[in-house]
Amino acid sequence: MNWDHLQVFLAVARHSQMLEAGRRLGLNHATVARRLDALEAALGTPLFHRRPNGSALTEAGEQLVPVAERIEAEVLAVAARMRAQEAEPSGTVRIGAPDGLGTLFLARELGLFASRYANLVIELVPLPRSFSLSRREADLAIGLDRPAHGRLILSKLSDYGLGLYAAKAYLDRAGMPESVADLGSHAAVIGVDDYAYASALDYTAFLQDRVARVFRCVGAVAQLEAVRAGAGLGILHDFAAAALPDLVRILPETAFRRSYWLMSHPDDHGSRRIAACRDFLARRFREERDRFLPPPAALRGGAG
């Protein structure tokens, strides 16, 4: 089986559109169709149901996908080993991360890291509810839950803390709660359960069952901004909220601890570009440990 034909097959299987597959591969529609025809002729069976609105895999196509992905992994591994011989990292590394961590920490850190290397391109993308490293949807992923299965290289980047915060303006208006029982007269900013992509986000229930009313919005950054605007109390990341002077940490005994996990595919382990990013992330999280898990004295009294 010709590797060029298999590349086209995988691209169409993943995107269900010949035009999109061609765009991803830098090929025109006629070339994509011709290579698929050649592969189907070599195998003696159709691989797609070709329809005006897209291409759907046949049963034979479904059987070929894992075989083609194994071949792709071997080809990529060889390419990674060759790149590892270069003097400095080059190429593109896509890193998936939760929106709060990505916006409030990684964007700055990875931007500065990428600026050191003329031939390295970093792509920081939001981590979807489901993703696949084996399908090359990301080269590195930072998750909130430790994966229970899958062929991955896994390491803990850091534990991190969350606490209950409110804007000073909100507390001036609604009063300072002195105990959890006082939350019943307050409003809260919480997430939307349907968009909670990790079990680690289960702390939302703590507030929604105790307050008078809620405002729901998706994403840690959106919730942070809503709390700063005075929409209500909120459970926020300490590494983001503790540095903002307009926020006050309340009920210090109400605290949550979660973890960030770094995942990569074992076939990419020898890639210099991915190894450079992985090592950088591990070092920066280690150096910023007190930021992600502030000492209790740093959080006492709120604000900063």
Side-chain angles (χ1 to χ4, degrees), residues 82-166:
M82 295 174 67
R83 285 193 294 270
Q85 298 171 7
E86 298 175 357
E88 68 173 37
S90 63
T92 300
V93 180
R94 175 169 288 187
I95 301 173
D99 81 299
L101 179 68
T103 302
L104 301 171
F105 180 71
L106 291 177
R108 178 183 184 279
E109 295 292 332
L110 289 173
L112 292 173
F113 173 71
S115 69
R116 303 176 192 172
Y117 303 102
N119 298 314
L120 182 66
V121 176
I122 303 294
E123 296 181 349
L124 178 61
V125 300
L127 191 69
R129 284 193 282 179
S130 62
F131 68 95
S132 171
L133 292 177
S134 65
R135 288 180 176 269
R136 310 296 156 179
E137 294 173 353
D139 299 299
L140 294 168
I142 300 174
L144 305 180
D145 292 332
R146 178 173 183 160
H149 54 81
R151 198 165 66 93
L152 300 171
I153 294 177
L154 180 70
S155 61
K156 181 189 281 191
L157 284 173
S158 177
D159 290 332
Y160 67 97
L162 305 101
L164 192 57
Y165 289 84

Side-chain angles (χ1 to χ4, degrees), residues 162-241:
L162 305 101
L164 192 57
Y165 289 84
K168 291 180 179 178
Y170 171 84
L171 294 174
D172 289 342
R173 182 176 73 249
M176 171 74 77
E178 300 297 335
S179 69
V180 171
D182 293 340
L183 297 178
S185 61
H186 285 270
V189 177
I190 63 174
V192 179
D193 292 342
D194 290 345
Y195 288 85
Y197 59 87
S199 63
L201 301 173
D202 59 2
Y203 50 77
T204 291
F206 175 85
L207 280 180
Q208 71 181 9
D209 296 338
R210 290 176 167 84
V211 295
R213 61 188 185 281
V214 297
F215 167 61
R216 297 178 183 272
C217 58
V218 176
V221 177
Q223 292 167 35
L224 174 67
E225 291 304 316
V227 171
R228 294 184 72 188
L233 315 171
I235 296 174
L236 305 176
H237 296 72
D238 289 328
F239 75 82

Side-chain angles (χ1 to χ4, degrees), residues 205-273:
F206 175 85
L207 280 180
Q208 71 181 9
D209 296 338
R210 290 176 167 84
V211 295
R213 61 188 185 281
V214 297
F215 167 61
R216 297 178 183 272
C217 58
V218 176
V221 177
Q223 292 167 35
L224 174 67
E225 291 304 316
V227 171
R228 294 184 72 188
L233 315 171
I235 296 174
L236 305 176
H237 296 72
D238 289 328
F239 75 82
L244 298 173
D246 56 337
L247 292 180
V248 176
R249 175 74 182 268
I250 60 178
L251 302 183
E253 70 279 5
T254 302
F256 303 85
R257 183 166 174 159
R258 299 293 187 267
S259 301
Y260 288 126
W261 296 91
L262 181 63
M263 295 164 275
S264 60
H265 197 280
D267 291 340
D268 296 330
H269 190 63
S271 166
R272 181 179 293 275
R273 61 191 171 86

